[in-house]
Amino acid sequence: MLVLFNKDVTLHFKISTTLAFLVLILSACGGGADSIPIVKDDTPAKPNTTPTPSEFTISTNNVETAASIAITSTFNNFALNTSSIFTQSTIEKTAVQLQINTRDQVLKPLKRAISSGAAYSEDVNAITTDCAISGTLTTTINFQKTFSLSLEDSVKIEAMNCHDGSSITNGSFTYQFTQLTDFNDFDDYTVLGLDMIFDKYSINFLEKNKEVTVTSMYSLLITQDEYSQKVNISSPVLGIVVNDYLQLIQNLEIEKTYIHNTNIETITASSDLHDNALFGLINITTLDGFEFYGQDSDAPTSGRIKITAEDNSSIILTVLNTNDVQLDADYNADDVIDETRVVSWESLLYP
């Protein structure tokens, strides 16, 4: 059995004053052999729910909701969290939209392909396994050389009606390697670059009667030495659809830097966000990077972001300490603060 995803897919959102928690479990199982060619498509498919254009305005009634959605979309987006399997670090690891259980579970097909290169020749480059109840899971290895990674090598994992007893999974995700410098293994490299492409990857949770669809493409670039580690994440679109609920993150840019001798991790992020709970769009821009003491910290010690709605109403969110966050709201877009609130980081990240 190859477990690709395990517990705790959490999507946080509010509609008016109602908070809905969708706790999802992603898993896939399998064992056989067949050959399915890699098809590289750099254009991600669109989510199956299209945002309805509307002008969202930040007001006294929704200021905390807007701040919460901005924070959770930034620190809970699965591009940031899936990147942790390659960086051995996690931010807010208990509240992620898509949480991979362990590094080894995700890297297993890659490590196996490298260490058993002879088994993944041009003639035999795919393994198809039967899922627990019905359907199949296919891992396709597209390597230019045996026993080593090269640029443009890829690994594709595709589920076809994979029924594991509690859910049915369809679609695929692909690792495409874009940079490899001094690469020995996934714990020893100077530069590692890859694209992750989710192609209509969906999971139908039978008991919960909910279906989640992930539509995304993001690029990950890690550079590191004995003093620091820098991670850059960029994506044209990250889409999560749960039944009729949609969160769409566009133009995502994240930079995460960790300095070993100070044990300080700094994160900056920017994106355009559509969320059904807001009925409109917001822009998120980092003014001062969020600083965390240690890579497993639950809350930042400092940082500021600006959240701007379509009519230029805005919120400046300032971290006061590891517990408290200040929200300065400008409701009529005149660059004058109309209201200030102090709330907890926990209440925003775990509403």
Side-chain angles (χ1 to χ4, degrees), residues 254-272:
I254 296 176
E255 181 177 293
K256 181 170 66 170
T257 303
Y258 177 67
I259 307 299
H260 293 286
N261 61 352
T262 63
N263 198 27
I264 297 293
E265 185 164 64
T266 304
I267 295 178
T268 63
S270 64
S271 66
D272 296 310

Side-chain angles (χ1 to χ4, degrees), residues 321-340:
N321 50 57
T322 55
N323 296 314
D324 301 316
V325 173
Q326 180 171 305
L327 305 179
D328 293 310
D330 174 10
Y331 298 132
N332 54 9
D334 62 357
D335 295 323
V336 176
I337 300 303
D338 298 306
E339 182 180 4
T340 295

Side-chain angles (χ1 to χ4, degrees), residues 29-226:
C29 301
D34 201 346
S35 178
I36 296 180
I38 282 281
V39 176
K40 183 181 178 184
D41 183 1
D42 288 337
T43 303
K46 294 181 179 179
N48 58 17
T49 300
T50 302
T52 300
S54 62
E55 187 171 276
F56 170 68
T57 298
I58 294 171
S59 69
T60 188
N61 294 324
N62 61 30
V63 60
E64 291 183 37
T65 298
S68 177
I69 288 173
I71 285 292
T72 56
S73 72
T74 299
F75 291 98
N76 295 352
N77 86 71
F78 70 83
L80 177 62
N81 284 281
T82 56
S83 74
S84 68
I85 65 174
F86 298 99
T87 61
Q88 303 184 63
S89 67
T90 311
I91 294 295
E92 295 302 338
K93 56 188 176 182
T94 59
V96 297
Q97 289 178 345
L98 182 60
Q99 181 172 335
I100 307 300
N101 190 32
T102 67
R103 297 179 72 245
D104 285 341
Q105 286 175 332
V106 175
L107 299 179
K108 185 176 179 180
L110 303 180
K111 291 180 175 180
R112 183 173 58 186
I114 295 172
S115 62
S116 305
Y120 294 94
S121 65
E122 292 181 359
D123 297 328
V124 182
N125 71 336
I127 290 182
T128 298
T129 60
D130 293 327
C131 299
I133 305 299
S134 60
T136 59
L137 190 71
T138 299
T139 301
T140 304
I141 310 296
N142 188 351
F143 282 8
Q144 301 171 60
K145 303 175 183 177
T146 57
F147 299 103
S148 66
L149 280 175
S150 304
L151 294 183
E152 302 303 320
D153 285 352
S154 61
V155 175
K156 180 180 181 180
I157 299 171
E158 183 174 28
M160 297 186 66
N161 294 314
C162 182
H163 190 342
D164 68 355
S166 61
S167 64
I168 299 175
T169 305
N170 281 287
S172 69
F173 60 93
T174 300
Y175 300 93
Q176 182 85 45
F177 293 91
T178 58
Q179 292 196 48
L180 296 165
T181 302
D182 299 328
F183 181 88
N184 296 306
D185 57 44
F186 291 101
D187 297 312
D188 184 9
Y189 57 84
T190 301
V191 179
L192 171 62
L194 59 86
D195 291 339
M196 282 197 69
I197 304 165
F198 287 76
D199 186 6
K200 299 178 182 178
Y201 192 80
S202 67
I203 306 93
N204 183 4
F205 300 93
L206 303 177
E207 293 180 2
K208 298 179 181 294
N209 193 31
K210 291 183 174 68
E211 183 175 25
V212 57
T213 300
V214 182
T215 303
S216 327
M217 173 183 171
Y218 72 87
S219 297
L220 174 69
L221 179 65
I222 306 169
T223 57
Q224 60 185 10
D225 55 32
E226 59 183 309

